[in-house]
Amino acid sequence: MNAINESFLPAGETAVIRLITAGSVDDGKSTLIGRLLYDSKSVYADQLDAIARAKYKRVAGDGIDFALLTDGLEAEREQGITIDVAYRYFATPRRKFIIADAPGHEQYTRNMVTGASTADVAVILIDATRAADGQLLPQTKRHSTIARLLGIRHIVVAVNKMDLAGWDRAVFERIRDAYADLARRIGIADFQVLPVSALNGDNVVTASAHTPWYDGPPLLDLLQSLDPSAAGAHAPLRFPVQWVVRHDGSSAQDFRGYAGRIASGTLRPGDEITVQPSGTTARVVEVRAHDRILSGATAGDSVIAVLDRDVDVSRGDVLSHASAPARVGKELEAELCWLDTQPLNPARRYLLKHGTRLTTAKIREVVTRRDIHELREIDRDVGTLGMNDIGKVLIATRDPLILDRYDDVAATGAFILIDESTHQTAAAGMLR
């Protein structure tokens, strides 16, 4: 999975928003990101010169093919489609943005799941010329469903290529109403819809004169107005231990600490904690970051916790507040997005990676499979899941796990399944 190290981002108080563009093939996702980068002055002159001379340029004359700013693979440029997730960064005085450009083709839905797993905002693009009658494409439904399952809090629907639809208000309203019906059926409570032309920049960074009937903000203003603050600080403490820090082990005053990244909640000296799954309790003496002693830490901070006594804590354990421990168990119900080309085999064992813990698991039953086209769950003779399928399963694990609901604590409510023989990631799971 691709990752962004935020320690390399400029320092300051400006909040970081992670967003993903999603939708069907040729809806204009890469072009929209390229336009955002270009209009926010985040593209270097040599990059513009390179794409102007690119042999796969698909824009006539001296126009800029903005899609080439994100479609970096040779196969992507040759075929004119996005295959892998491309990450780009740009900033405004109000916000910093990390953008994931996800593939639209159904074959690469698993790549979209990867990019969406860390997103705060999903920008769902819809081609106005292909949905002018109000019929949404299957990938629009699929990506919207995945965004809902992954708990992305902000959904923005950009009705693109409105210039090719003659800026017809009736077309926009039919698509808006169709998406409102989709959102109601899959459980998206809040979303915004706006008309855009990614190629020409209408309603992307600045308002368009072609849409006097649209009274909302352009896309960039809308993105900057969203609140990216994580709810993790207000959730119960979950501190997955990554490794045990030892110094001067031969000394009577040797140092022992437990390092990790706080998934949710806050950690302060004096807190009484429970080591899970064992249930052992202790009290926090210090919270350290490198060579500094902190007064406290919150979700997203990487710290070392020092306890008041030696207890059995190892990689894979989770520190929780003694007053609000997590539920622990070996049997779980989860929603799986199947990513492997090999279908799910209930007779096989899989490795299960949950936070910092690695264990083995078996899928006892595939309860339902979600039909993306009909937006319903099929519960008869399911048996297995194939690539890009989404289904509800029952899983038994060798070791006890923290069983937080994904909607409550995403970091400890998510896991991946790994094929034991190939070590390929087989599925992404969410505890329900």
Side-chain angles (χ1 to χ4, degrees):
M1 181 182 295
N2 292 325
I4 298 293
N5 185 344
E6 290 185 20
S7 64
F8 293 103
L9 298 178
E13 298 300 322
T14 308
V16 176
I17 292 181
R18 301 174 185 84
L19 66 91
I20 185 170
T21 56
S24 194
V25 176
D26 288 334
D27 281 349
K29 299 179 293 298
S30 300
T31 300
L32 179 69
I33 293 178
R35 169 59 74 174
L36 277 172
L37 295 173
Y38 179 77
D39 286 354
S40 64
K41 306 296 188 291
S42 301
V43 182
Y44 293 110
D46 59 339
Q47 290 177 290
L48 290 175
D49 182 61
I51 64 173
R53 294 182 285 103
K55 64 179 179 179
Y56 296 122
K57 178 181 174 183
R58 291 177 293 159
V59 176
D62 296 330
I64 300 172
D65 188 350
F66 293 108
L68 296 182
L69 289 172
T70 56
D71 290 343
L73 299 177
E74 181 76 9
E76 292 179 320
R77 296 188 172 195
E78 183 179 32
Q79 299 178 54
I81 63 173
T82 301
I83 296 174
D84 200 2
V85 179
Y87 290 92
R88 294 294 182 268
Y89 165 78
F90 78 97
T92 71
R94 294 170 58 189
R95 289 285 189 270
K96 301 169 187 172
F97 294 93
I98 298 171
I99 311 178
D101 181 20
H105 197 282
E106 182 176 350
Q107 178 182 350
Y108 305 112
T109 299
R110 54 185 179 172
N111 301 48
M112 183 270 177
V113 174
T114 301
S117 62
T118 58
D120 303 308
V121 183
V123 179
I124 309 289
L125 273 84
I126 299 176
D127 185 339
T129 63
R130 293 194 288 174
D133 58 355
Q135 298 297 314
L136 302 180
L137 296 176
Q139 278 299 81
T140 302
K141 299 178 182 179
R142 182 182 293 270
H143 285 184
S144 298
T145 302
I146 291 172
R148 168 68 183 88
L149 290 175
L150 292 175
I152 297 178
R153 292 179 296 143
H154 302 290
I155 306 292
V156 177
V157 181
V159 181
N160 191 27
K161 304 184 184 181
M162 282 297 298
D163 53 321
L164 300 183
W167 296 104
D168 189 335
R169 180 177 182 175
V171 169
F172 172 77
E173 291 180 347
R174 279 196 295 271
I175 296 172
R176 180 198 62 195
D177 293 345
Y179 196 87
D181 181 62
L182 171 67
R184 177 186 57 80
R185 295 170 67 187
I186 63 178
I188 295 176
D190 186 35
F191 63 95
Q192 288 85 24
V193 187
L194 69 162
V196 304
S197 170
L199 184 62
N200 299 322
D202 294 272
N203 285 335
V204 177
V205 172
T206 57
S208 172
H210 297 293
T211 54
W213 39 267
Y214 171 69
D215 57 3
L219 178 62
L220 184 58
D221 286 355
L222 178 58
L223 294 176
Q224 290 185 119
S225 70
L226 299 178
D227 180 12
S229 60
H234 306 291
L237 172 67
R238 300 292 184 263
F239 180 38
V241 175
Q242 293 184 2
W243 59 293
V244 180
V245 182
R246 292 295 307 276
H247 294 303
D248 300 325
S250 61
S251 168
Q253 302 298 322
D254 66 323
F255 177 85
R256 181 196 297 260
Y258 307 100
R261 184 175 186 267
I262 299 176
S264 65
T266 58
L267 182 68
R268 296 185 178 89
D271 287 351
E272 186 179 3
I273 58 93
T274 296
V275 180
Q276 295 192 279
S278 69
T280 307
T281 60
R283 194 168 295 277
V284 179
V285 175
E286 288 180 349
V287 179
R288 307 178 67 100
H290 303 295
D291 57 347
R292 293 181 294 118
I293 297 177
L294 306 177
S295 60
T298 189
D301 292 339
S302 295
V303 297
I304 298 172
V306 182
L307 305 182
D308 64 345
R309 62 193 184 91
D310 291 342
V311 294
D312 183 9
V313 183
S314 58
R315 177 179 172 84
D317 290 338
V318 176
L319 305 186
S320 306
H321 281 141
S323 59
R327 188 166 62 91
V328 175
K330 295 184 179 181
E331 306 227 344
L332 52 114
E333 181 179 273
E335 198 126 31
L336 284 187
C337 296
W338 197 259
L339 310 177
D340 201 353
T341 54
Q342 297 297 317
L344 181 155
N345 185 348
R348 293 188 54 190
R349 287 191 318 175
Y350 292 90
L351 297 174
L352 188 148
K353 183 76 164 60
H354 177 256
T356 55
R357 182 176 293 280
L358 184 66
T359 186
T360 57
K362 285 197 70 174
I363 291 90
R364 288 194 167 178
E365 182 185 355
V366 180
V367 181
T368 61
R369 178 172 57 82
R370 190 178 293 270
D371 187 323
I372 297 297
H373 301 283
E374 298 297 328
L375 299 176
R376 61 186 178 88
E377 292 186 330
I378 301 172
D379 57 4
R380 291 184 180 177
D381 301 322
V382 177
T384 186
L385 297 174
M387 187 174 72
N388 298 324
D389 279 344
I390 300 171
K392 188 182 297 180
V393 300
L394 299 179
I395 300 176
T397 62
R398 181 192 63 196
D399 302 306
L401 301 176
I402 302 298
L403 302 181
D404 283 319
R405 292 176 65 251
Y406 181 83
D407 293 341
D408 297 333
V409 186
T412 52
F415 62 91
I416 61 172
L417 293 180
I418 303 167
D419 188 300
E420 274 193 314
S421 58
T422 65
H423 295 282
Q424 296 287 329
T425 301
M430 293 147 283
L431 299 177
R432 298 300 182 189

